[in-house]
């Protein structure tokens, strides 16, 4: 479904000059599995996901989503994905229903199919009580529900969750993780970025630990435990990051 | 581009804006409330000014004659004002004779301080002997005989003086009232004197010039409205575009909704068009509502002003027609600028310069010389204002004549502004710009460390701006050339120090490969034959394009004539020249090498990293044109820059460009060397050039233009077939374009 090959991204920063956000990373995510990008803040997770969703353009390497190239076929790629991020907001002056409908129509879904799909999503995500609520009056949890409904409205084969539980209370975060797990059952390819070990441990089929633009290790959780001889994911995470920083004494700018 | 997506985005944005109280206030509430409030305030202020009492100190009342009486009952007589109420608004305080020291009465400082301290608003000072001299005059008028001497006739009456202060409105009002009363009183004295001398009343002023205004009331009103309405239209169209543009771009960034929209299937161009149409709608609505409100308020105010009638009946139609391109232009500009801002606050900072640039363009037509000519019609915004003015004044023939150029210029500006807005939405650096603390040392270190084989777009733009600024300031630093030798010295210094040196230094500092950056390689890599042909082809191309340029030069001269001072200076400079080879070396070879290194070398190489070769050629040509500083020259230089830029891109070498440039400059110098006598002696030369009948000077013949045009097209087609090397960014854009052609469609 998603294949990144030698994916690189460099930024130019007025203060620090050129920054390497991603340094030739390779990963793949398949249908019916959750691929976790696990890394501290500033590791390059959001950059990778923004490239997959065609919002950013890579400076090197290739990424294909369901066979479409993110650079040369961005329009096709955008039809394949649904994007949920803690950074994205909802429109303050639109109701939940209007917002999901707007994106559904942008995806080219016509009535009455769109209405049926929205009814299903609003039931499924328990959003009927906020149907006519303006974005400005929604809580963080409500906004996140709208974001998920917005990403699912066109029933894409690929879903991207970027730090989606960030800022949510325990109950809402738990509900969101349940939704993600259920989406896997529908055969979706899910990329889930987080810096919370427990979430990755519970949810992800495949995990890639990202740090300073590099993938330090990747594989199924049991494989990682076996290869690195470490049962606790958190301990494994700290060990890999420490080893990487020790090996690269000259700090890599990210 | 899918128009269904554009419509969807447009409708969402409109609904969003209509739910925003700030926008509604700006477009609907403010216009409805503003003008009635302004009108009411104006009336009240006028009323206040009319009814404001003032006080005058009168010094020397005892020196006034008893008849006619200037004062009655301790006030100015009502007959000098026309009504009692006006007289009562001017309170009078008389300074008695005993309060006046003999040596103080001429002391202006005393009256000034009385006004400054607020004791009075004005002082009327009647000089000593005023009454006596006036009486002497009366007697002389009555008794004078033809045989009396000139001295007996020459009786000078000392003038009364009014002291007042222009620093306060109240003092000026008092001055106007005193002036009116004294003036009418003086006229009455004159009339009495004429009666005493048994002279007709019209002896002093035997006739008055009779004025006849040929303008009809309608024309007079149209002339006034044609100044007010276009100004209001443009200002409100700009203001109406201002706030929605900030909210739709910077506001979306702040709220975090832009990223979601960018990851949706809507293309960037669709997003821009959707937002642009929204901003246009609100810009139009703001302008219309303001004009309607202004009209309604004006209709009430105008009843109080009998001299001013309503605007022409067709005014709403012309204003609406003009509003569409005006709103489109301002909306696109506001959108592009607002897209750059990180927050709404920052957006307001960025849009202020737009207002400062637009205001002078709106004000130019208000100046006395601001008429609709071909030259003025080509100035963006100014052309629209002038065209609208002509329509409102009923000069339809003139408007029809200059409508096409105004329309073309406005359309061109609109397209450029829209293109700019789309580019802003395509730029990651713009969309995801974060707040950065600037560290010069680290930045410079990174700049040198991370340089690539060719400079960045920012580096190229910086080089262009630097050259432009250096040339501008060098114009002040170096003495203005008076002779050809001065000009040669200035040219050498400016070309070497201002054009070539920055480009070479920046090439060394900001690029890894000077050879690639400055195109210092043989032309047409991989084909020796094509390389050899490209050099004479460039020379021939310059010669073939020149006849067309010579005619364009004539047209530019007619549109924008050189000032007489500049003409005289150029004639003086080129009057005495050294040998031809020296002239060619200094005026053709040196500029060709230096300017090509800078504009087709460093700047074009950097700009090509935008990914669009034509855009790079046009922008580099703009820099090339603007640095020539003389506007008339810049227009032609821009066109030459585009041709040489194309040659540079297609050949991949600077050598054909330098040869083209040398050839072009050399032909210009040789043409200016040809005298009328030479032309008469050489019939072959007459096939190529001829003298201009009115202006003097030479221009190529039409046959030369036709032959040159055909040859130029043939050579350009040959250059087009060359296997030109694309920059990585251009290759990427081409790949995207190719995929877009074969993209599947989604339901």
């Amino acid at each position: 479904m998603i294949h990144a090959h030698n994916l690189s991204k460099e930024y130019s920063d007025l203060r620090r000059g050129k920054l390497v956000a991603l340094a030739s990373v390779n990963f793949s995510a398949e249908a019916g599995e959750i691929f976790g990008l696990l890394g501290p803040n500033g590791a390059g997770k959001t950059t990778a996901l923004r490239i997959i969703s065609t919002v950013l353009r890579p400076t090197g390497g290739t990424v294909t989503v369901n066979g479409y190239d993110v650079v040369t076929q961005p329009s096709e790629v955008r039809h394949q994905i649904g994007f949920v991020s803690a950074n994205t907001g909802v429109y303050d002056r639109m109701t939940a229903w209007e917002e999901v409908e707007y994106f559904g129509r942008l995806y080219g879904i016509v009535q009455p199919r769109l209405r049926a799909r929205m009814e299903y999503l609003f039931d499924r995500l328990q959003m009927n009580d906020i149907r006519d609520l303006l974005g400005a009056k929604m809580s963080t949890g409500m906004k996140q529900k709208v974001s998920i409904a917005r990403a699912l409205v066109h029933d894409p084969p690929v879903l991207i969750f970027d730090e989606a539980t960030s800022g949510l209370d325990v109950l809402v975060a738990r509900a969101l993780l349940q939704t993600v797990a259920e989406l896997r059952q529908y055969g979706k390819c899910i990329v889930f970025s987080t810096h919370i070990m427990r979430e990755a441990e519970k949810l992800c089929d495949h995990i890639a630990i990202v740090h300073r633009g590099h993938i330090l290790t990747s594989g199924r959780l049991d494989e990682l435990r076996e290869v690195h001889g470490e049962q606790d994911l958190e301990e494994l995470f700290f060990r890999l990051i420490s080893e990487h920083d020790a090996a690269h004494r000259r700090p890599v700018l990210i | 581009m899918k128009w269904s997506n554009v419509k969807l985005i447009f409708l969402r944005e409109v609904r969003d804006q209509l739910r925003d109280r700030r926008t509604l206030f700006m477009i609907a509430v403010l216009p409805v409330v503003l003008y009635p409030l302004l009108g009411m305030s104006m009336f009240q202020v006028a009323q206040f000014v009319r009814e404001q009492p003032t006080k005058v100190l009168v010094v020397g009342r005892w020196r006034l004659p008893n008849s006619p009486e200037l004062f009655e009952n301790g006030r100015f007589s009502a007959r000098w004002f026309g009504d009692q109420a006006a007289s009562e608004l001017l309170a009078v305080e008389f300074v008695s004779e005993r309060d006046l020291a003999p040596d103080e009465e001429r002391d202006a400082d005393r009256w000034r301080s009385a006004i400054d301290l607020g004791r009075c608003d004005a002082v009327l000072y009647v000089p000593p002997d005023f009454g006596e001299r006036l009486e002497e005059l009366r007697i002389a008028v009555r008794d004078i005989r033809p045989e009396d001497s000139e001295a007996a006739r020459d009786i000078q009456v000392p003038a009364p003086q009014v002291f007042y202060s222009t620093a306060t409105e109240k003092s000026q009002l008092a001055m106007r009232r005193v002036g009116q009363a004294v003036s009418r009183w003086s006229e009455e004295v004159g009339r009495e004197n004429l009666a005493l001398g048994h002279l007709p009343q019209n002896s002093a002023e035997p006739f008055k010039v009779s004025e006849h205004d040929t303008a009809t009331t309608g024309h007079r009103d149209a002339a006034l409205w044609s100044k007010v309405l276009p100004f209001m239209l443009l200002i409100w169209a700009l203001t109406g575009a201002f706030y929605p543009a900030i909210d739709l771009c910077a506001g979306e960034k702040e709220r975090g909704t832009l990223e979601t929209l960018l990851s949706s299937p809507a293309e960037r161009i669709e997003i821009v068009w959707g937002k642009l149409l929204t901003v246009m709608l609100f810009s139009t609505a703001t302008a219309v509502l303001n004009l309607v409100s202004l009209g309604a308020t004006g209709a009430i105010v105008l009843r109080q002003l009998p001299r001013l009638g309503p605007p022409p009946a067709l005014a709403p139609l012309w204003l609406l027609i003009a509003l569409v391109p005006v709103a489109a232009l301002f909306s696109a500009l506001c959108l592009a600028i607002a897209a750059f801002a990180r927050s709404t606050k920052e957006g307001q900072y960025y849009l202020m310069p737009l207002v400062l640039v637009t205001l002078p363009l709106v004000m130019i037509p208000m100046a006395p010389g601001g008429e609709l000519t071909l030259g003025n019609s080509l100035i963006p915004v100014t052309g629209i204002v002038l065209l609208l003015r002509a329509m409102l004044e009923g000069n339809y023939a003139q408007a029809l004549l200059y409508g096409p150029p105004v329309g073309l210029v406005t359309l061109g500006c609109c397209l450029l502004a829209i293109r700019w807005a789309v580019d802003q939405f395509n730029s990651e650096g713009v969309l995801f710009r974060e707040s950065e603390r600037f560290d010069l040392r680290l930045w410079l270190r990174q700049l040198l460390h991370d340089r690539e084989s060719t400079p960045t777009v920012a580096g190229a733009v910086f080089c262009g701006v630097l050259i432009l600024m250096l040339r501008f300031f060098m114009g002040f630093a170096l003495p203005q050339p008076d002779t050809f030798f001065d000009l040669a010295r200035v040219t050498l210094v400016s070309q070497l120090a201002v054009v070539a040196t920055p480009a070479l230094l920046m090439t060394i500092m900001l690029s890894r490969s000077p050879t690639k950056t400055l195109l210092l390689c043989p032309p047409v890599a991989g084909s020796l034959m094509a390389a050899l042909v490209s050099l004479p082809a460039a020379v021939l191309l310059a010669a073939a394009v020149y006849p067309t340029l010579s005619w364009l030069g004539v047209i530019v001269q007619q549109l924008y004539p050189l000032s007489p001072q500049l003409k005289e200076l150029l004639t003086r400079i080129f009057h005495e020249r050294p040998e031809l080879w020296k002239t060619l070396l200094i005026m053709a070879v040196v500029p060709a090498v230096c300017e090509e290194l800078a504009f087709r070398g460093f700047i074009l190489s950097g700009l090509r990293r935008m990914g669009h070769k034509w855009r790079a050629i046009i922008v580099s040509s703009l820099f090339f044109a603007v640095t020539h500083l003389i506007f008339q020259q810049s227009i032609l230089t821009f066109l030459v820059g585009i041709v040489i830029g194309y040659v540079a891109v297609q050949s991949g070498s600077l050598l054909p460009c330098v040869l083209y440039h040398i050839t072009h400059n050399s032909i210009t110098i040789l043409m200016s060397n040809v005298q009328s006598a030479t032309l008469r002696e050489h019939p072959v030369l007459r096939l190529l050039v001829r003298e201009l009948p009115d202006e003097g000077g030479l221009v190529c013949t039409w046959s030369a233009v036709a032959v040159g045009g055909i040859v130029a097209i043939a050579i350009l087609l040959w250059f087009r077939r060359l296997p030109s090397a694309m920059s990585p960014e251009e290759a990427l854009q081409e790949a995207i374009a190719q995929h877009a052609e074969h993209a599947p469609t989604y339901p």
Side-chain angles (χ1 to χ4, degrees), chain B residues 580-599:
Chain B
L580 186 63
W581 72 269
K582 282 185 186 171
T583 313
L584 289 175
L585 178 68
I586 293 164
M587 304 304 289
V589 179
V590 173
V593 174
C594 295
E595 288 175 355
E596 291 313 310
L597 280 171
F599 296 103

Side-chain angles (χ1 to χ4, degrees), chain A residues 9-18 46 50 53-58 68 71-81 83 85 87-95 98-99 102-103 105-109 113 134 150 250 253, chain B residues 2 5 8-9 12-13 15-17 19-20 22 247 252 255-268 426 428 432 434 436-439 442-443 446-447 449-452 732-733 735-736 739-740 742-744 746-747:
Chain A
K9 180 68 183 175
E10 291 172 352
Y11 291 114
S12 276
D13 183 305
L14 269 182
R15 188 161 71 89
R16 293 169 292 179
K18 191 168 281 182
T46 300
R50 279 179 172 168
S53 60
T54 76
V55 173
L56 293 182
R57 191 173 285 165
Y68 295 110
V71 175
T72 57
Q73 295 161 293
S75 182
E76 291 79 5
V77 169
R78 286 198 287 269
H79 275 91
Q80 307 301 315
I81 58 166
F83 187 69
S85 165
N87 298 323
T88 55
V90 297
Y91 290 108
D92 282 351
R93 299 186 284 263
M94 272 181 120
T95 64
E98 286 170 348
E99 177 143 0
Y102 171 57
F103 277 89
R105 291 180 68 187
L106 274 180
Y107 279 105
I109 310 169
R113 212 180 109 212
L134 286 175
R150 195 170 61 186
R250 183 176 162 270
L253 295 169
Chain B
K2 282 165 78 176
N5 277 352
L8 202 59
I9 294 167
R12 193 214 79 78
E13 301 292 7
R15 182 170 54 186
D16 198 61
Q17 289 300 305
R19 287 177 181 174
D20 182 20
R22 288 172 306 174
D247 190 57
E252 276 224 38
R255 292 188 288 270
T257 46
L258 190 61
E259 195 175 337
T260 319
L261 189 60
L262 294 176
S263 62
S264 79
E267 299 290 338
R268 305 286 163 95
N426 273 322
E428 287 172 15
F432 297 99
E434 287 172 4
E436 294 158 352
R437 190 168 53 81
F438 184 65
D439 185 323
L442 279 169
W443 177 68
Q446 293 291 346
L447 200 65
H449 182 259
D450 296 330
R451 63 204 163 131
E452 292 176 29
L732 176 69
Q733 290 298 330
I736 292 169
H739 275 287
H742 307 293
Y746 291 89

Side-chain angles (χ1 to χ4, degrees), chain B residues 101-131:
Chain B
D103 55 338
E104 279 183 359
E105 62 184 7
R106 289 175 184 276
D107 188 0
D109 288 342
R110 193 176 163 199
W111 316 132
R112 191 175 294 124
S113 66
I115 295 166
D116 290 345
L117 292 171
R119 192 180 155 199
C120 60
D121 301 308
V123 175
L124 172 63
Y125 172 71
V126 184
D129 303 334
F130 178 77

Side-chain angles (χ1 to χ4, degrees), chain B residues 5 93 139 169 240 244 300 322 429 550 631 674 706:
Chain B
N5 277 352
E93 183 185 330
I139 294 165
E169 289 296 324
I300 298 163
S550 78
F631 176 67
V674 175

Side-chain angles (χ1 to χ4, degrees), chain A residues 45-63:
Chain A
K45 304 187 296 292
T46 300
T47 300
L49 299 185
R50 279 179 172 168
I51 290 172
I52 294 171
S53 60
T54 76
V55 173
L56 293 182
R57 191 173 285 165
T59 44
T62 55
V63 183

Side-chain angles (χ1 to χ4, degrees), chain B residues 51-336:
Chain B
E51 294 177 358
Q52 193 180 28
T54 47
K55 183 179 170 185
V56 62
L57 206 65
V58 177
V59 183
R61 187 193 176 185
W62 61 91
R63 293 166 184 150
L64 292 170
N66 291 328
S67 175
E69 278 188 324
L70 182 59
F71 300 100
E72 265 179 7
N73 304 325
R75 291 187 177 281
F76 278 93
S77 174
R79 61 192 283 215
W80 312 128
F81 291 102
D83 67 273
Q84 185 67 33
S87 164
E88 285 174 2
L89 286 172
L90 186 59
V92 178
E93 183 185 330
F94 296 104
V95 177
S96 67
E97 197 171 0
R98 61 176 177 279
D99 292 339
L100 202 65
D103 55 338
E104 279 183 359
E105 62 184 7
R106 289 175 184 276
D107 188 0
D109 288 342
R110 193 176 163 199
W111 316 132
R112 191 175 294 124
S113 66
I115 295 166
D116 290 345
L117 292 171
R119 192 180 155 199
C120 60
D121 301 308
V123 175
L124 172 63
Y125 172 71
V126 184
D129 303 334
F130 178 77
E132 290 82 353
R133 304 295 287 176
L134 206 58
E135 188 56 29
E136 279 176 33
L137 182 68
R138 284 161 65 91
I139 294 165
V141 169
R142 191 186 61 200
D143 302 338
I144 201 84
R145 289 165 303 178
E147 59 270 27
D148 286 342
S149 67
E150 192 63 34
R153 297 164 184 265
D154 188 25
I155 297 162
Q156 295 292 330
V157 180
Q161 295 167 38
V162 182
F163 294 86
Y164 74 108
S165 166
T166 48
T168 65
E169 289 296 324
K170 211 175 162 191
S171 182
Q172 291 183 66
L173 184 62
M175 161 64 196
R176 283 198 294 276
R177 286 172 175 166
V178 172
Q180 183 190 349
V182 174
S183 172
R184 287 188 180 176
W185 175 71
S186 166
E187 284 166 16
E188 181 58 27
V189 171
R191 277 194 290 273
E192 285 187 3
N193 286 353
L194 290 172
L196 277 172
H198 306 291
L199 293 167
Q201 284 294 312
N202 61 350
S203 306
E205 196 180 19
F207 62 87
K208 282 185 179 174
V209 173
S210 178
E211 294 173 359
H212 298 279
D213 185 359
T214 58
T216 61
T217 313
H219 281 142
R220 203 169 48 237
D221 294 341
L224 181 78
W225 286 113
S226 70
K227 287 189 177 73
V228 177
L229 292 177
F231 179 79
M232 298 298 297
L233 180 89
L234 267 84
I235 292 300
W236 280 111
L238 180 58
T239 311
F242 200 95
Y243 288 99
I246 292 174
D247 190 57
L248 295 186
C249 296
E252 276 224 38
K253 276 190 202 177
E254 257 181 341
R255 292 188 288 270
T257 46
L258 190 61
E259 195 175 337
T260 319
L261 189 60
L262 294 176
S263 62
S264 79
E267 299 290 338
R268 305 286 163 95
I269 194 162
E270 292 163 2
I271 296 172
V272 170
W273 269 102
K275 288 177 182 291
L276 177 70
L277 290 174
T278 312
V279 179
M280 260 182 80
L281 177 74
F282 283 92
S283 167
T284 310
T286 310
V288 167
L289 280 170
N290 272 280
L291 287 171
V292 168
S293 178
L294 174 70
T297 312
I300 298 163
V301 174
L302 291 179
R303 284 192 204 135
Q304 317 294 323
L305 302 169
R307 288 175 63 88
L308 184 63
L314 285 174
L317 178 68
W318 305 137
L319 288 168
L320 275 178
I321 291 172
L323 186 54
V324 176
V326 166
L329 178 61
F330 287 151
S331 302
L333 284 172
C334 287
L335 202 66

